[in-house]
Amino acid sequence: MTADSDRHAVKMAKKKVARDKIMATKTDQKGLIIVHTGKGKGKSSAAFGMIFRCIAHQMPCAVVQFIKGGMSTGERDLILANFTDLCEFHTMGEGFTWETQDRDRDIEMAQAAWEKAKDLIRDESRRMVLLDEINIALRYDYLDVNEVVQFLKDEKPPMTHVVLTGRNAKDELIEAADLVTEMELIKHPFRSGIKAQIGVEF
Amino acid sequence: MTADSDRHAVKMAKKKVARDKIMATKTDQKGLIIVHTGKGKGKSSAAFGMIFRCIAHQMPCAVVQFIKGGMSTGERDLILANFTDLCEFHTMGEGFTWETQDRDRDIEMAQAAWEKAKDLIRDESRRMVLLDEINIALRYDYLDVNEVVQFLKDEKPPMTHVVLTGRNAKDELIEAADLVTEMELIKHPFRSGIKAQIGVEF
């Protein structure tokens, strides 16, 4: 080993001790309220990534898509074709709200999606429920954020993870959540005239 | 319809016109250099979500895990069990660097992973290649960022997407990328003594 490698080994050994010490204090498990928000990409993809982790570990789970019926089609197709035994999948929305232009109908769809979501969450055999793009429905007040937060506090089984995605997460939801990630947009190819592409955006 | 709904319909119709106009200018397709960085969660999950999108669309793809041999096991197991016909999978790293404490060996592993990555990217039948946690290898200078950037510019086939994940993405890489998302940590349950959990972290 070179002197450089030696210094590295000492530094990394210290880092390991420190990290092991910290991780030893993390002993609890509980079902988390997880929020993915922000203007960047990856909010839904990362949530679907967790759903695929659950599927890989044979943990029953479910997805309710609140708004973008037309997006995330890749994930939906993959789940419907292969994993319906582990993952129940419901697409309740009808595409983005500026496509439908009918507030009454949007509210009706959002409420129906939320009723389905509550049923899925109440069944404690399910370990993760993804409420995809629910933040859009909350933002436009198609759903009452206080009702959603209260339900999660009162009725979510202790070991169930609930993942809520979409831009502009409301403060009440962030307050109630255990794990919040903001996907921040640093650079986007739409700005240089590149369109949404298969495999990347849907 | 109520007056409220009427106003909503007008507003959404305007939004749709504006959006359609913007989207009509986005006509190009090209293989993107995509970077997921930041301290928040979801960098690898979102990347694996894109890999699953590719699989769903029958697009050949590949994953090289540079560092965390022990993490993302859920996604790896799922791919290895179901989708090896579409997605080639290589785990080259041996876990986090503070676990191995051997810089020479880490460099050797990172270089081997990079050689494999180059082979996978050069084959243009592959539509997406995920270089998971390569940013860690770049940060510790196990790999030369200029060499990586130069290769992507010179040899990446035009329609291939390459996704590079990990904290502390180097400026040179961000400069070369088409799409950069920073996952920002807003709230994390480790801070309240909750440990890494199956389905969420791995």
Side-chain angles (χ1 to χ4, degrees), chain A residues 19 26 53 75 98 190, chain B residues 19 53 75 98 190:
Chain A
R19 193 185 145 86
K26 318 299 183 194
R53 285 181 178 173
E75 289 92 338
W98 48 85
F190 286 3
Chain B
R19 193 185 145 84
R53 285 182 177 172
E75 289 92 339
W98 47 85
F190 286 1

Side-chain angles (χ1 to χ4, degrees), chain A residues 64-71 91-97 106 110 113 132-138 140 142:
Chain A
V64 181
Q65 292 193 298
F66 272 73
I67 302 280
K68 49 178 184 183
M71 301 292 277
T91 301
M92 311 294 284
E94 299 230 311
F96 283 105
T97 50
D106 284 348
D132 193 39
E133 298 290 359
I134 189 174
N135 286 339
I136 312 288
L138 291 167
Y140 286 109
Y142 297 165

Side-chain angles (χ1 to χ4, degrees), chain A residues 41 185-197 200-201, chain B residues 25-28 30-34 161 177-181:
Chain A
K41 277 182 55 63
L185 181 70
I186 306 289
K187 219 176 186 185
H188 200 295
F190 286 3
R191 292 190 184 155
S192 354
I194 304 294
K195 69 177 181 181
Q197 292 181 93
V200 178
E201 267 87 15
Chain B
T25 67
K26 318 297 182 196
T27 50
D28 288 351
K30 70 166 195 168
L32 303 175
I33 300 174
I34 300 171
H161 305 296
D178 302 290
L179 172 54
V180 180
T181 308

Side-chain angles (χ1 to χ4, degrees), chain B residues 126-143:
Chain B
R126 230 163 253 122
R127 300 291 304 280
M128 183 180 283
V129 179
L130 165 56
L131 309 182
D132 194 39
E133 298 290 359
I134 189 175
N135 286 339
I136 311 288
L138 290 167
R139 184 196 181 187
Y140 286 108
D141 294 319
Y142 297 165
L143 294 176

Side-chain angles (χ1 to χ4, degrees), chain A residues 138-202:
Chain A
L138 291 167
R139 183 195 182 187
Y140 286 109
D141 294 317
Y142 297 165
L143 295 176
D144 178 2
V145 67
N146 293 310
E147 191 199 318
V148 170
V149 166
Q150 203 58 50
F151 173 83
L152 293 175
K153 282 184 180 164
D154 293 345
E155 299 196 45
K156 184 182 81 58
M159 293 310 294
T160 303
H161 305 295
V162 176
V163 188
L164 307 96
T165 74
R167 291 181 182 208
N168 302 105
K170 289 212 166 182
D171 292 343
E172 294 90 331
L173 181 62
I174 288 175
E175 180 59 35
D178 302 290
L179 172 55
V180 180
T181 309
E182 181 165 335
M183 277 66 173
E184 204 185 329
L185 181 70
I186 306 289
K187 219 176 186 185
H188 200 295
F190 286 3
R191 292 190 184 155
S192 354
I194 304 294
K195 69 177 181 181
Q197 292 181 93
I198 190 168
V200 178
E201 267 87 15
F202 56 92

Side-chain angles (χ1 to χ4, degrees), chain A residues 11 19 37 43 73 77 127 183:
Chain A
K11 194 172 142 198
R19 193 185 145 86
T37 192
K43 298 182 287 295
T73 51
D77 294 348
R127 300 289 304 282
M183 277 66 173

